[in-house]
Amino acid sequence: MGEGLRAAWPIVLGYFPVAVAFGALGAQAGLGYLWIQLTSLLVFAGASQFALVGLLAQGVPPLLAASLGLLLNLRHAFYGPALRSYLKGGPLEAFFLTDEVFALALRTLPGLSPEKRRGYFLGLGLGAYLSWNLGTALGALGAKGLLAWPRLGEALAFALPALFLLLALPHLRNPAALLAGGVALGFHLLGQTAWGLFLAGVVGLLWKEPWKGRKA
């Protein structure tokens, strides 16, 4: 697990400022510190948490807001099969599985021995989880001071997409990744981002390398 914790530093650096922004925006929306922190402790899903806070601030019923957040996380259903060749999943692995943890794990796990893979993955997830919750606490407790700086929330939130782009770059040599990215981008430009993410996941899941299965 120690190796995974040490390898998690890019995720930690990306998650912490975004979590600070989440905590501050949650406090600005009128949520109490306990509810903000419990969201990070129990949900641990950045985009869904931001959506949840925004919906609750607009007066959307909590059950409906939670359902919409769950829909945002359906893309994770495609991550498990992609890692199945390298990792036997369980409840803890599923909980720690985020976009960035997935991207780094998919790049690293194939080069590790089978007995090291679970510990490495849990180390990645634990590092991400701790940084997210520490950032949430700082943002929620120091919201007044942080929000006094104009545009700080938007600047902090930019760290997450920048981090994911950095982690995704090594996968761009994979034709399946290029095709899935093209599908997602095309649907995004058409104003159908959610469908684009879903279909990109389907492409990645169903892709078969053309040379596999051929006879020599």
Side-chain angles (χ1 to χ4, degrees):
M1 185 179 289
E3 186 178 353
L5 274 171
R6 291 189 293 271
W9 67 266
I11 301 177
V12 170
L13 292 178
Y15 272 20
F16 188 77
V18 183
V20 170
F22 168 73
L25 292 174
Q28 185 184 41
L31 298 179
Y33 167 73
L34 180 60
W35 287 106
I36 298 170
Q37 194 66 56
L38 280 175
T39 303
S40 283
L41 286 169
L42 300 178
V43 178
F44 185 45
S48 295
Q49 289 182 227
F50 276 98
L52 181 63
V53 167
L55 292 169
L56 291 176
Q58 296 173 25
V60 174
L63 185 58
L64 177 58
S67 299
L68 293 173
L70 179 62
L71 288 175
L72 282 175
N73 278 341
L74 284 180
R75 68 189 185 281
H76 289 184
F78 298 106
Y79 292 168
L83 294 176
R84 189 179 299 161
S85 301
Y86 314 111
L87 188 70
K88 183 179 179 180
L92 193 56
E93 286 86 347
F95 181 72
F96 279 156
L97 188 58
T98 67
D99 297 335
E100 292 73 23
V101 169
F102 168 76
L104 193 53
L106 187 63
R107 186 178 69 183
T108 308
L109 289 180
L112 297 178
S113 61
E115 61 271 14
K116 290 184 177 180
R117 288 171 181 168
R118 184 172 190 266
Y120 180 88
F121 183 88
L122 293 179
L124 284 180
L126 182 61
Y129 183 73
L130 291 176
S131 66
W132 184 262
N133 278 279
L134 288 172
T136 297
L138 177 62
L141 294 173
K144 290 184 179 179
L146 291 169
L147 293 173
W149 294 80
R151 300 292 181 182
L152 179 61
E154 291 86 343
L156 292 173
F158 179 72
L160 194 58
L163 168 67
F164 188 73
L165 177 61
L166 180 64
L167 294 177
L169 286 177
H171 298 286
L172 294 184
R173 290 173 294 181
N174 185 331
L178 290 173
L179 181 58
V183 169
L185 177 61
F187 275 83
H188 172 71
L189 295 176
L190 293 173
Q192 300 293 330
T193 303
W195 275 108
L197 291 173
F198 175 78
L199 293 174
V202 172
V203 169
L205 182 63
L206 298 181
W207 174 271
K208 293 184 178 180
E209 295 176 359
W211 58 84
K212 285 189 175 181
R214 291 183 179 179
K215 296 181 180 180

